[in-house]
Amino acid sequence: MDQDGKFKETLTNDVQGLLSLYEASHLRMRDEEILEEALTFATNHLESIVSNLSNNSLKVEVTEALKQPIRKTLPRVGARKYISTYEHNDAHNHLLLKFAKLDFNALQKLHQSELSELTRY
């Protein structure tokens, strides 16, 4: 924030930073003015720049976040969406991505077997 208590306009050049600020601002509690301002600031700037983004994976990530922030989705649905988004990120960690997919698939298999057990009765 600058000396006037406003968010610095230089932040608008960092799309990934704005996206992080947007997601973090969804963790706010009632009457947290700074995070309310952060949400407004990040939302306005992300909405204004999303159509001009040349990086398609970043464009998809921003569009999805504006529709439904990760913090407001069901954990497994959010994980699935984030895995596919992270996979298209050029700087992703291959090992971390592989473990995330394995974890997701193992848990999904467990849920399927539990559901199968329940439907037998």
Side-chain angles (χ1 to χ4, degrees), residues 27-66:
L27 296 172
R28 72 192 183 285
M29 303 296 276
R30 192 175 315 168
D31 297 330
E32 284 189 290
E33 292 178 25
I34 293 175
L35 288 179
E36 290 286 342
E37 290 175 29
L39 178 61
T40 303
F41 176 82
T43 303
N44 291 339
H45 285 88
L46 286 172
E47 286 174 344
S48 69
I49 62 175
V50 70
S51 60
N52 299 328
L53 290 174
S54 58
N55 182 336
N56 198 39
S57 64
L58 186 58
K59 187 175 190 172
V60 169
E61 189 176 352
V62 170
T63 303
E64 287 294 320
L66 288 171

